[in-house]
Amino acid sequence: MSQKILLDKINIPGIKTYEVYRQNGGYASVEKALKTLTPDEVTEEVKKSGLRGRGGAGFPAGMKWSFIDKKSGKPRHLVCNADESEPGTFKDRFLMEFIPHLLIEGMITSSYALGANLSYIYIRGEYMWVFKILERAIAEAKAAGWLGKNILGTGYDLELHVHCGAGAYICGEETALIESLEGKRGNPRIKPPFPAVSGLWANPTVVNNVETIATVPWIVNNSGDDYAKIGIGRSTGTKLISASGHIKNPGVYEIELGLSVDEFMNSDEYLGGMSSSRPLKAFVPGGSSVPILPAELIFKTANGEDRLMTYESLSDGGFATGSMLGSGGFIVYNDTACVVRNTWNFARFYHHESCGQCTPCREGTGWLEKILWRIENGQGREEDIELLWSIQSKIEGNTICPLGDAASWPVAAAIRHFRDEFEYHVRFPEKIKNRDHFVAEPFSQVKHLVGGKVIV
């Protein structure tokens, strides 16, 4: 069994209430930080831990904290990004729903480290029941003296609020989140200036993901060095994984980084293997925005090394033969899944969620959706595959925020690894008009029609 940092107490009856959480060691990191450590010492522990942002980018959290402007004299803010909207990702919701005080504790300790006296949790609009859980937890924490004026008699003040968004994926981008929090349309800002210098109300601001902030109490209670001993290389600590798709045991798992993909996929402790006798076809390791990988690149890298659940191993080979750990949205497909349909579904999402500010994204995501729909519905043309490739290449890297990249990468990877499947759709439209065309006749059995080897 791997070490649990975030989920070790999740099954304790009543753990979402303040009384039970406190009885099981809750808020100890707040006591330790406020009474025995300076803000800079807390930041230093997080830096030593090697904790990387768990929202998808993987940027070192302690380094991000160290960028905050402490010289301007302006108020500082910590904003928790709980706008979990990446298709395939649901681990932050799990934390907030079942152990909300862990996030509240992390917010207090982290706000102290940053010198923030007013902090926010920005939660997605579809998580209304979780919003209410957090509101109740904050009220309990404040009643117990962990929030408000002069916390624990130390002279440190903190007010914490939950703000409910309107259900926009774009508000997962930190500057769009800040715009929304200020009451404006959630459009990403041009950077620089970065939020650490000019963020919420033009004040120095740090935006971190739920999982990232919830990890801080363990680091403060133990040490950054102890956290860095878990994991492997620069991928330190544990990671929450949202697992779904054609597997026996879908759900949220906490793994030590460095676990092999093979063990995570096939051991009874984790996903338990495929849900049926159908063979593995592909997987997406980090949510809908990261490249899909075919079966032959899942357990081994292109160099023949074991593929590990780490930032480095999953990206080994670049996008030619690798992917990304991203937000940890682990989606598994057997051979009845249609890659074209899956890619169209993702493209449809990104077109819908584009804020429309950047022309390449506003126009390009729409064309990706239209062309993929055309191919999937038996109306594809020979030139459509190259057209898709051209469009995605003109979106990537040409937008203010990464949503354009998130829309283009899945399309590029699908064509790169499953081009013959796209060709099959174009050349045999009558065979794919049935929505479940690969259920009765998996592509592995008909790929010889486009020059591939039959796999039974």
Side-chain angles (χ1 to χ4, degrees):
M1 294 288 289
S2 63
Q3 184 164 355
K4 298 291 187 292
I5 287 174
L6 297 167
L7 303 185
D8 63 327
K9 299 172 183 175
I10 200 98
N11 293 319
I12 296 175
I15 195 64
K16 68 169 59 176
T17 66
Y18 170 77
E19 291 78 11
V20 177
Y21 184 75
R22 179 65 175 150
Q23 290 166 9
N24 285 273
Y27 292 97
S29 73
V30 178
E31 286 187 288
K32 181 176 180 180
L34 269 60
K35 291 184 175 181
T36 68
L37 300 173
T38 67
D40 287 345
E41 286 173 336
V42 177
T43 299
E44 189 59 31
E45 288 300 319
V46 176
K47 288 176 73 174
K48 287 194 293 186
S49 74
L51 173 66
R52 296 167 69 168
R54 301 303 198 218
F59 190 83
M63 186 180 297
K64 189 174 188 179
W65 289 11
S66 69
F67 292 156
I68 196 166
D69 180 8
K70 297 181 179 179
K71 297 179 181 179
S72 66
K74 293 181 177 181
R76 289 166 237 154
H77 306 288
L78 172 64
V79 178
C80 174
N81 183 352
D83 190 62
E84 183 178 52
S85 308
E86 179 95 351
T89 308
F90 44 89
K91 43 92 177 178
D92 289 344
R93 185 270 303 164
F94 190 79
L95 270 182
M96 293 186 288
E97 182 175 0
F98 294 108
I99 189 165
H101 282 281
L102 180 61
L103 175 59
I104 308 305
E105 180 179 357
M107 287 295 294
I108 300 168
T109 305
S110 303
S111 295
Y112 170 73
L114 295 168
N117 301 114
L118 178 59
S119 296
Y120 291 89
I121 299 171
Y122 182 98
I123 191 167
R124 66 179 293 191
E126 292 87 344
Y127 282 173
M128 184 53 67
W129 82 100
V130 184
F131 170 83
K132 293 176 181 177
I133 290 171
L134 290 177
E135 287 265 82
R136 186 162 51 249
I138 288 174
E140 289 177 332
K142 189 164 188 176
W146 299 103
L147 289 167
K149 298 287 187 182
N150 194 24
I151 299 172
L152 301 182
T154 62
Y156 175 64
D157 305 334
L158 177 65
E159 293 297 333
L160 177 61
H161 303 284
V162 187
H163 181 89
C164 197
Y169 173 76
I170 192 65
C171 289
E173 195 277 335
E174 61 180 11
T175 61
L177 185 156
I178 290 170
E179 288 283 290
S180 176
L181 195 52
E182 290 179 351
K184 294 177 280 188
R185 180 182 172 88
N187 282 359
R189 297 175 179 174
I190 296 174
K191 296 174 282 192
F194 290 91
V197 175
S198 181
L200 185 62
W201 301 305
N203 295 328
T205 305
V206 166
V207 181
N208 275 138
N209 163 265
V210 171
E211 184 184 349
T212 311
I213 293 172
T215 304
V216 171
W218 193 97
I219 293 171
V220 172
N221 285 332
N222 296 273
S223 72
D225 289 333
D226 283 348
Y227 188 84
K229 292 175 184 176
I230 305 168
I232 183 171
R234 291 179 56 243
S235 293
T236 62
T238 67
K239 178 79 183 75
L240 294 183
I241 304 294
S242 313
S244 60
H246 296 130
I247 48 176
K248 287 182 181 176
N249 306 320
V252 176
Y253 294 87
E254 184 174 11
I255 65 167
E256 290 186 18
L257 289 170
L259 179 74
S260 73
V261 174
D262 189 1
E263 182 177 352
F264 182 61
M265 276 274 296
N266 294 311
S267 71
D268 291 336
E269 181 181 350
Y270 297 108
L271 308 191
M274 303 300 288
S275 58
S276 71
S277 60
R278 300 307 315 177
L280 173 65
K281 177 176 182 176
F283 91 138
V284 173
S288 64
S289 63
V290 309
I292 191 171
L293 287 180
E296 62 269 20
L297 291 172
I298 293 176
F299 301 128
K300 298 284 185 181
T301 67
N303 295 325
E305 299 175 351
D306 286 343
R307 183 83 75 180
L308 307 178
M309 296 291 288
T310 66
Y311 292 93
E312 293 75 26
S313 182
L314 284 168
S315 63
D316 184 85
F319 284 176
T321 59
S323 184
M324 297 170 65
L325 180 58
S327 61
F330 197 93
I331 311 171
V332 180
Y333 304 95
N334 67 24
D335 69 343
T336 65
C338 174
V339 170
V340 176
R341 182 174 187 84
N342 181 75
T343 308
W344 164 70
N345 203 32
F346 285 167
R348 185 169 57 127
F349 171 81
Y350 288 110
H351 178 213
H352 180 269
E353 297 297 333
S354 172
C355 75
Q357 185 176 194
C358 305
T359 302
C361 183
R362 181 183 68 246
E363 302 299 323
T365 54
W367 281 107
L368 290 178
E369 180 191 355
K370 290 175 185 176
I371 297 167
L372 284 162
W373 180 91
R374 193 160 68 205
I375 295 173
E376 171 61 13
N377 285 275
Q379 300 174 27
R381 304 175 300 196
E382 290 287 348
E383 62 269 24
D384 278 345
I385 302 172
E386 289 303 323
L387 183 56
L388 282 172
W389 186 267
S390 174
I391 292 171
Q392 66 80 25
S393 68
K394 289 177 172 60
I395 301 173
E396 182 184 5
N398 293 311
T399 55
I400 289 174
C401 87
L403 190 142
D405 296 342
S408 63
W409 290 343
V411 175
I415 295 173
R416 183 181 297 117
H417 298 300
F418 299 93
R419 189 184 185 97
D420 53 356
E421 194 166 315
F422 282 82
E423 293 174 352
Y424 176 80
H425 277 66
V426 172
R427 291 171 56 184
F428 302 97
E430 72 283 356
K431 286 181 171 288
I432 52 86
K433 286 184 177 180
N434 177 357
R435 171 191 170 102
D436 300 319
H437 42 268
F438 288 156
V439 174
E441 193 175 45
F443 181 66
S444 58
Q445 297 177 17
V446 296
K447 65 187 304 181
H448 64 285
L449 297 175
V450 288
K453 183 180 178 182
V454 181
I455 301 175
V456 180

